[in-house]
Structure formats: C-alpha cells, structure tokens
Amino acid sequence: MVFRRQAQPDYVRDVTRRPPLQDNPARHSAPDDLCDAETRVLDAIDEQALVHELVDLIRIPSVTGTDAESDLQHRYAHQLATLGFDVDTWKLDLEGLASHPDHPGTEAPRTEGYGVVGVLGGAGVPALVLQGHVDVVPTGDLDKWEDRNPWSGTIRSNTVHGRGACDMKAGVAANMAVARALVASGVTLARPFALHAVVSEEDGGLGAFATMLRGHRGEAAIITEPTSSKVVIANAGALTFELRVSGCAAHGSARLTGHSAFDAFLPIHTALTDLEQQRNARPHQLFDGNPLPYPISIGTIRAGDWASSVPDLLVAEGRLGVQLEELPAHARAALENAIDDVCRRDPWLRDHPVQVAWPGGQFASGHLDPAHPLVGEVIECIRHTEHREATLSGAPYGSDLRLYAGMGGIPTLHYGPGDVSHAHAPREQVHIEELVSTTRSLAVLAARRCGAHL
Ligand SMILES: [Zn+2]
C-alpha cells in the first residue's frame, strides 16, 4: 500500500470541523423478514458516521485528474485496511493504459491515478462488489453556489450540499458504511465482499478499466451512482466528438469576400438535430418517461479570433448518445454519414468537408438482463428495508457499468442515493433520509449475497 508522506492539505485538516447535524437521521426498526445476521448488520449501520463521512468526502475537492483525487484514494485504502480488509492499492500505468487498444479515452489532464480494491472475508470470487468513483466534475460558476463554496458539505434541511454530494460521494460513503456495518456487526461472511474505489469515471472510466485489467472480479456488482430510488439496469453510452469546420477569413466589413465558418456550421447543426430526433424515435422501454434518452449535445464551440474578422475555423465538441445494444462504431458511422450528407449537398462544404474526430471519453452502452437474479435480489432488499416496490430504469448517461459488465463480465447494475438531476449541477445535494435508506438496502444485500451468519 502506498501512502503519501506530505503535509496534509488544508481541506484534509478542515474535515475535523464538521457542521452539526440539524436532525438525527430517521431511525428505523429492523423488518421482521430478515435473518438474525442481516438484522445484526442493519443495526450496526452508524448513520451519524455515514453522514459525517459524506461531509468529509465533499470537503476533499477530488476533481477528476487532480491530486485530491489521489488523496481520496489513499484515504479510502487506509480506511479499508483499518477495518481489516485485504487491500490492493496500485498506481495506474498511465502510459501502458493509453496504448491499450480498448483504452476508454480521457478528457482531463492526469499525471497519476490509483486503484483501490478491498476484500473482506472468505476465499474465492467476491459474491458482491460495491463500486464507486471518487472523482467529481469541476464546480462551474461559483456564483451559482450558496456562499460561493461548493466544497462546504453544509447540511441544511436534512440535506447535504456540495460538489459530488450525489454524484457520487453519497454512494461512496454508503459503500463504506456497509463495510463498517459488516465488520462492526461481528457476522461471519461465507463468501467475500468487495469494495472498489475508482478514479476518472467522469472523464471516461480509466479507473474502472484499470481495475478490470488488474483482474478484480465479482459474481455481481452494484455501482452506487445516484438513481433517484430506481434500479438502473442499463446505460446509454456517450461518445465525445470534435468537428472542425473551415471558413475563409476576411474583414468583417467585407464579409461577402470570405466565408464564415460559423455560417458553414449551421446546416451541420440542423443535421445533428434531425439525427437526434431519428435516433430517439423508438427508445427502449427502460427509458419510458424520458423524452430524449440518446441526446446529441454540442458542449463547446470556438470560432474566430477577432470580432471584426470573418472566422476561418470553427471547432465544436459534443457528445453523441449510444443506443442500448448499439455498437459504438455504428453510432459513430451514423453521425459521420449525417455530416457527409450535408457536405455533399452544400456548395461550400463540398469543397471544404467537415473533419470529424473522436477524442475524449468513449462510453459504450451497457445493460443487465432484467431476468438476472441480481435484479430480483435488489428489489427484494428494497422491499424489506424501504417498504416500497422499486422500478427498473435505464440511464441516459454512460458509466463504469459498461466496463464491469462488458470487459469484466460481471452482472452489474446501479442503485445508489441521490437524484441524478442534481449531478454536475450547481447546488448539488443529497437528502440524508435517502442516503440512509439506500445504505440499509445495500447492507442487507451485502449480508445476504455474502452469506452472513452469526
Ligand atoms: Zn457518477
């Protein structure tokens, strides 16, 4: 195991200054239909520690690719080792991974990254893996955050606030709370339980990719991304693309002597909108209620370098949604063909065709058969502990699911605390009651799948 020998940065020292809880999280009585060992694990969940853990995690600004991301991984490994887990911490071979033919792509600059896997109890393949990514996206405009501080971990109205609160430090904290409860309860596990903490999920999934290459596996995995109380068994994919559209520079006062790259882009944008409509005409039933499960979205546009010049180049970057069971190559071809069509019909673009590239994150879609036993087991645990019937759903974003299910061959689904509409948004937040109730379901699932006994 590797530990950094450096002065702790301020945000690590700051975690000792925790905000007071406004209310105690709701107390729950154990349901009757659990075995003694499962009840013992439920009773061992320390809800206050769970909330404090989330606050601590938010205060470490682990934006993908930064040193804080590595700091969080080392902290996580240390916690697991302290609990008695067998911990594998390794430094990612970034160069080796980059040259791998299946490299998932990255977007953030990164000089290092670590993998952390902890296994508790028994021998053989873990019966359950709980996985979470420790990285978060940047904060965006600070003025959109209360007190201009996205790293506060402030608790208001029984809700924890801050970047990563739901995506997905709540899930990471829940995973750790399950680990603590399994140890604190004193139960014995017939089969191993594993926790995976990964980096770089937000910019492509390099951490999950490296974890699968390292050989870590499980009979089933839950990624505790925020699922808004649903059980998510499918992810659409997302492919980052770049378009380079040529123009011809001229003085703005004589713009007819040039050709604006911005104007040249407009029919391309229309074609992408048409393509988006076609690709969303008959979405999979798991996306019922979602009007646009496979968006094509332009995220950045740069054009020109002077206000009174006609721009001679426009560079647009965006993401293309990948349909369930669609190969990424097929999705790429659909976009490239749509752009080729426009270029053939447009007098300027015919002679100056748009260049399409696929840099950055390349998320294939992924899914789990709804008939797989894991799905029923999760629904049953939710029924026992949260007293409700969970619905199955698909998520329109790419995630590590496709790497665990695809590369790893591990039956994988998402179930975790938080409303995904807060993810990547200002004032990101998670409700404490949901954090606790989801953790309880995950704890019962872990006890059950790993054969916990007294
Ligand atoms: Zn996430």
Side-chain angles (χ1 to χ4, degrees), residues 276-297:
E276 180 185 64
Q277 204 171 1
Q278 288 166 27
R279 290 172 59 78
N280 286 276
R282 282 179 300 280
H284 194 283
Q285 62 184 21
L286 284 169
F287 292 111
D288 276 355
N290 183 337
L292 196 64
Y294 309 121
I296 301 175
S297 173

Side-chain angles (χ1 to χ4, degrees), residues 132-133 135-137 166-169 201-202 223-226 397-400 414 420 423-424:
H133 65 81
D135 58 320
V136 297
V137 295
C166 83
D167 184 14
M168 60 167 285
K169 288 180 172 174
E201 191 277 344
E202 296 291 2
I223 300 177
T224 51
E225 292 269 19
Y397 49 82
S399 84
D400 285 342
H414 286 188
V420 73
H424 297 207

Side-chain angles (χ1 to χ4, degrees), residues 279-366:
R279 290 172 59 78
N280 286 276
R282 282 179 300 280
H284 194 283
Q285 62 184 21
L286 284 169
F287 292 111
D288 276 355
N290 183 337
L292 196 64
Y294 309 121
I296 301 175
S297 173
I298 299 292
T300 69
I301 291 185
R302 300 187 302 280
D305 57 5
W306 195 248
S308 60
S309 294
V310 171
D312 60 357
L313 178 67
L314 178 145
V315 180
E317 296 168 312
R319 61 88 79 191
L320 165 68
V322 183
Q323 297 167 330
L324 293 191
E325 304 185 46
E326 180 185 36
L327 291 174
H330 183 273
R332 286 188 197 104
L335 181 133
E336 288 171 0
N337 290 341
I339 290 174
D340 278 354
D341 276 356
V342 181
C343 292
R344 271 200 302 276
R345 284 185 274 112
D346 183 281
W348 173 264
L349 293 174
R350 194 179 303 136
D351 295 332
H352 306 85
V354 174
Q355 294 170 35
V356 183
W358 300 93
Q362 303 292 303
F363 292 83
S365 59

